Amino acid sequence: MQGKGADTIMVTRAQQIGVVIGLAFVAALTILRASDPPLLRLARDLTFDQYQRLVPRTFKNQPVRVIDIDEASLREFGQWPWPRNRIAVLVDRLSDMGAAAIAFDILFAEPDRLSPRNVVRDVTGIDPSLLGKLPDNDEIFSRSLSGRPVVLGFGLSNEGSYLPSVKAGFAYTGESPFDAPPAIKAATPLQPQLEANAAGLGHISLNPGTSSAVVRAVPLFLSSGKQLYPSLALEALRVAQGASTYVLDAAPDTPNTLTRVKIGNFVVPVTASGELWLYVSPDTKERYISAGRVLATEGVSADIRAAIEGSIVFVGTSASGLQDVRTTALGENVPGVSIHAQIVEQILSSRFLSRPDWADGLEILSIAVLGSLLVILTTFVNPAVALACGLLITFFALVASWAAFLYGGLLFDPLAPIVSGSITHFAATAFRFLVTDRERRDVRRAFGHYLSPSLLHRIEHTRNALRLGGDERELTVMFVDVRNFTQISEEMTPSAVVAFLNTLLDALSHHVIANEGTLDKFIGDSIMAFWNAPVDVSDHAGKAVQAALGMRETLARLNNSDAFGFGDARRVGIGIGIHTGLACVGNMGAETRFNYTAVGDAVNIAARIESACKDINFDILVSEPTASLLPDCALLEAGALTLKGKSMRTKLFAVVGDARLAKSADFVELQAMHGRLVAALRTRSASSRKLVAAAKLKAQIATTGLLHEFYSQISRRAGHFVDEPADKAADI
């Protein structure tokens, strides 16, 4: 009773320690999520990108168009930049066609260098009085802007202090929002006459201050601390409606926190810093109209007029040389101007995405609560139950996050709670395994005597390693069989037979595992093994032969020491067949009971080669594919035999020894003599008898009698060395 009580106390303490460690993991993960490092933010963004890729915003034919300065336009009207009198013509035509607003995603920061007045000014010898008579493209463009709904863009600058004028008024509710948007210190300057005549001015920056190449959220405003500057898309929407004021809703009790923006008849939900989450649609040619078609000298077609009339038009470029390319959440590389157009499309369609301010708090709380629950379940109930609960939590987190996106446009991160729960479950399970599951490790050690280490590693570390089925791969397969086993077993009691087999097979099988092989099975007095599965084994054919040579040496030692108790009257012999080829290897059998094994023609050939050892009178034979992988081994051609079940003969080689023997002078001489003997046998030459005798003598010297029986019977097998008839091979 006392011992039993002590065990109970030990288990309880282990559980308590497990809970403490598990909760420490939960606390660390909760703090990590609260700090929100860049890696977590990236994972969250990628999750939301994937949602959009699954269900992108549907493109609808709305009154928004992109006038694209594309490759075709550049081919027709020349390289960029175009003279601004041509830009003025573009404005005139778009305005005449009834465009509601014309927004340029183009910077007009410097005077037009192609203007005739500027060109002549730099030419020596020209009368300065002529300059005033020459046209100025900037003046032409400026006059074209006057009284028309044109919005010009400006960019951020790290130099100077220029800030553009603001064409709209601002009103806000709640606390001051002027420090909420991203800051602007300076902007790219606009030509004064262009700035004065434009109906609106908007910044063209899509993701200022971020290193990500993907545009996911765009700032609708920039702030100098005293003044707000709207984006190009927002200004285009304002000008198109004839509105004069932006109305900003700020959080009532939190300074510098925006909630939504009203532009004319449209209300846009924004983040606390005034950003709009982009819900993009796939890029489509229906959004674009080539600038060349608008500027065509023969006039504008009716379909283009219909598309432009009443539309908000953005002018920009998709030409690759101008490098205005951005990446969307859908993974598409699109012209930057199209993103401005998509902002307006999204507002017009009222399809918004938003991430509530309390989303971070909910995700942090879920990590703490669900992590603690998993720790308790893993420690006190069962890891399998905890895993089931974790999977259920994962399922509901994914479903809830997806449903919130699909039906409410809300962005909740399912990944952080799922990953944190998985780490927590792993940590608690690992602790339980290390401290309280010693019996399971004992079982593993017991089974380690029956399975090769590589197979155990495969089972432990590969998902679904114990499922039924297999993979096709190149294997080197070995079969080992005891010679005259039937006669031996008839002279022994069953228990003595078992003892004999245990002694022999145990000694031989060690060489398989020592050479990185997999013991497939013991079949009575036989062994089946293979190499190069379940894990890749380099030089698998060479290691199989090393195992076979080791078996030969071990058997000789057992016979010499009378390990089987047979005395000098009987020496135990074995035959070994090895073949390399494709086989299907994996778990075969029923769902509840199966074996890891190999099947296929390569296995059958190896078994037949082992049987051929009796005909050839040699203990280790390999097939020609295996021999080709053994350039350093001492091999001798053993003839081509018709194996059972094979229509063509199989060329076999006798494995005499390892690389050391192959390099010896005696074996090199024997190998040359054997080649002459094979040639004589192949032609039925009368000199074969003398060559057999000479080879037998040389083999006695080189291999100390290993090849005596092989050469004693080789003349009887002369037909094994004769080439197969060509017509038979062709038929096959």
Side-chain angles (χ1 to χ4, degrees):
M1 294 295 293
Q2 190 174 9
K4 183 177 180 181
D7 289 344
T8 303
I9 293 174
M10 181 189 70
V11 172
T12 302
R13 287 175 180 172
Q15 290 176 334
Q16 291 174 346
I17 294 172
V19 170
V20 171
I21 293 176
L23 293 180
F25 262 93
V26 173
L29 291 170
T30 303
I31 294 172
L32 179 67
R33 173 60 186 85
S35 64
D36 203 20
L39 185 61
L40 287 182
R41 292 199 298 271
L42 176 60
R44 183 166 60 244
D45 288 339
L46 293 176
T47 301
F48 298 153
D49 289 350
Q50 190 60 40
Y51 284 176
Q52 291 205 47
R53 294 181 186 187
L54 291 173
V55 183
R57 181 173 60 82
T58 303
F59 174 80
K60 294 182 179 179
N61 195 6
Q62 299 187 76
V64 181
R65 290 292 181 271
V66 172
I67 303 302
D68 186 10
I69 302 173
D70 54 8
E71 301 286 356
S73 302
L74 295 179
R75 284 194 301 270
E76 183 173 354
F77 293 98
Q79 67 180 13
W80 188 262
W82 287 344
R84 288 182 188 158
N85 61 335
R86 183 174 297 141
I87 303 296
V89 173
L90 184 65
V91 170
D92 292 340
R93 292 200 176 184
L94 291 173
S95 180
D96 292 343
M97 285 187 283
I102 306 168
F104 281 90
D105 183 26
I106 298 170
L107 298 177
F108 299 105
E110 299 188 8
D112 183 6
R113 62 181 178 83
L114 300 177
S115 177
R117 186 178 299 175
N118 293 334
V119 171
V120 171
R121 181 182 291 116
D122 297 332
V123 178
T124 58
I126 298 297
D127 185 357
S129 63
L130 294 176
L131 294 178
K133 300 177 181 180
L134 294 175
D136 182 84
N137 288 348
D138 285 316
E139 291 180 359
I140 295 171
F141 185 31
S142 176
R143 288 195 298 271
S144 179
L145 298 181
S146 181
R148 285 174 171 162
V150 178
V151 180
L152 298 183
F154 62 88
L156 301 183
S157 176
N158 294 322
E159 299 178 355
S161 58
Y162 166 80
L163 289 172
S165 58
V166 178
K167 302 285 184 173
F170 291 88
Y172 62 88
T173 62
E175 300 290 335
S176 170
F178 284 96
D179 288 330
I184 178 174
K185 296 180 180 179
T188 54
L190 287 166
Q191 290 299 295
Q193 66 268 43
L194 301 182
E195 179 178 342
N197 286 352
L201 300 174
H203 72 83
I204 62 174
S205 300
L206 293 173
N207 50 353
T210 64
S211 58
S212 174
V214 181
V215 181
R216 298 183 175 94
V218 293
L220 297 185
F221 298 97
L222 299 177
S223 174
S224 64
K226 298 180 180 179
Q227 178 65 56
L228 297 180
Y229 298 87
S231 69
L232 183 72
L234 221 57
E235 273 288 82
L237 182 61
R238 178 189 68 80
V239 169
Q241 297 180 89
S244 59
T245 304
Y246 294 102
V247 180
L248 285 66
D249 287 346
D253 301 320
T254 308
N256 303 314
T257 302
L258 290 170
T259 58
R260 60 181 185 172
V261 177
K262 187 173 186 296
I263 315 104
N265 298 322
F266 298 95
V267 177
V268 183
V270 294
T271 66
S273 61
E275 292 182 321
L276 171 70
W277 279 93
L278 276 179
Y279 190 7
V280 293
S281 65
D283 204 29
T284 173
K285 63 181 180 180
E286 297 178 53
R287 184 176 284 126
Y288 301 90
I289 297 173
S290 174
R293 298 186 65 187
V294 178
L295 293 171
T297 55
E298 64 273 14
V300 181
S301 62
D303 60 326
I304 292 180
R305 289 182 177 276
I308 296 298
E309 185 177 4
S311 295
I312 298 174
V313 175
F314 289 88
V315 182
T317 179
S318 67
S320 57
L322 301 183
Q323 298 180 341
D324 184 24
V325 178
R326 305 301 178 96
T327 304
T328 70
L330 303 184
E332 296 180 326
N333 293 324
V334 302
V337 65
S338 74
I339 294 182
H340 294 292
Q342 290 224 39
I343 293 171
V344 177
E345 289 177 5
Q346 185 176 346
I347 294 173
L348 295 181
S349 65
S350 297
R351 295 293 303 277
F352 298 110
L353 300 178
S354 64
R355 181 166 167 80
D357 296 336
W358 44 268
D360 284 323
L362 176 64
E363 292 160 8
I364 294 170
L365 181 64
S366 68
I367 292 174
V369 173
L370 298 178
S372 300
L373 175 63
L374 289 177
V375 168
I376 293 172
L377 289 174
T378 304
T379 304
F380 292 105
V381 182
N382 188 289
V385 174
L387 178 61
C389 290
L391 293 175
L392 194 63
I393 291 170
T394 298
F395 173 76
F396 279 115
L398 288 172
V399 170
S401 175
W402 174 247
F405 169 82
L406 190 60
Y407 299 108
L410 301 176
L411 300 175
F412 294 108
D413 179 21
L415 202 59
I418 291 172
V419 172
S420 299
S422 300
I423 294 174
T424 301
H425 180 262
F426 170 79
T429 303
F431 177 82
R432 179 164 179 165
F433 172 79
L434 293 172
V435 177
T436 66
D437 290 354
R438 294 188 181 92
E439 291 183 2
R440 297 183 183 180
R441 298 199 297 277
D442 292 338
V443 171
R444 184 194 182 278
R445 283 194 293 269
F447 276 97
H449 295 293
Y450 303 97
L451 300 175
S452 68
S454 60
L455 179 55
L456 278 176
H457 187 273
R458 168 72 174 267
I459 292 172
E460 290 173 347
H461 295 86
T462 304
R463 180 181 295 179
N464 297 327
L466 294 179
R467 63 179 174 82
L468 292 180
D471 301 316
E472 187 176 275
R473 60 192 301 164
E474 183 182 72
L475 300 182
T476 295
V477 185
M478 170 193 286
F479 274 86
V480 184
D481 187 64
V482 180
R483 292 289 168 260
N484 301 317
F485 177 70
T486 301
Q487 183 181 351
I488 294 173
S489 61
E490 287 176 350
E491 299 172 2
M492 302 171 65
T493 63
S495 59
V497 172
V498 171
F500 161 68
L501 287 177
N502 286 343
T503 301
L504 177 63
L505 299 182
D506 179 66
L508 299 182
S509 62
H510 282 310
H511 292 285
V512 174
I513 295 178
N515 286 280
E516 300 183 48
T518 298
L519 276 171
D520 186 299
K521 59 175 72 72
F522 296 102
I523 313 169
D525 62 321
S526 301
I527 299 174
M528 176 184 169
F530 53 80
W531 278 257
N532 206 37
V535 293
D536 293 334
V537 176
S538 60
D539 188 25
H540 48 87
K543 289 176 180 175
V545 169
Q546 289 176 22
L549 293 173
M551 292 179 182
R552 174 190 285 167
E553 294 177 2
T554 295
L555 182 60
R557 177 177 52 79
L558 293 175
N559 279 322
N560 292 336
S561 63
D562 194 22
F564 308 118
F566 295 158
D568 295 333
R570 171 176 288 136
R571 293 181 68 83
V572 176
I574 59 173
I576 302 175
I578 301 174
H579 173 63
T580 302
L582 289 178
C584 183
V585 59
N587 293 312
M588 314 291 177
E591 290 287 351
T592 56
R593 186 175 180 85
F594 49 80
N595 292 321
Y596 188 81
T597 188
V599 296
D601 193 48
V603 178
N604 297 333
I605 292 175
R608 302 291 184 263
I609 294 174
E610 179 274 315
S611 298
C613 291
K614 302 173 186 176
D615 298 324
I616 294 177
N617 290 292
F618 198 72
D619 60 342
I620 305 175
L621 297 176
V622 300
S623 65
E624 188 171 20
T626 304
S628 67
L629 300 174
L630 306 170
D632 299 327
C633 283
L635 304 179
L636 293 176
E637 184 178 344
L641 280 67
T642 301
L643 302 181
K644 183 179 179 181
K646 305 298 291 183
S647 57
M648 296 183 66
R649 294 194 300 172
T650 302
K651 193 173 184 179
L652 303 178
F653 291 81
V655 180
V656 183
D658 56 12
R660 182 181 56 82
L661 177 63
K663 295 176 182 178
S664 67
D666 287 332
F667 183 79
V668 171
E669 187 176 346
L670 171 62
Q671 198 171 37
M673 188 177 296
H674 183 81
R676 293 193 295 272
L677 171 59
V678 169
L681 292 172
R682 187 168 287 129
T683 59
R684 307 282 187 171
S685 173
S687 63
S688 62
R689 290 183 178 273
K690 293 181 180 180
L691 289 170
V692 168
K696 186 183 297 186
L697 180 60
K698 176 54 67 174
Q700 180 67 31
I701 298 171
T703 65
T704 62
L706 181 64
L707 292 164
H708 179 77
E709 293 297 327
F710 175 77
Y711 280 117
S712 296
Q713 302 293 328
I714 198 168
S715 296
R716 178 180 59 83
R717 299 190 303 106
H720 292 166
F721 295 91
V722 177
D723 291 335
E724 196 164 15
D727 56 347
K728 182 178 179 182
D731 292 340
I732 294 171

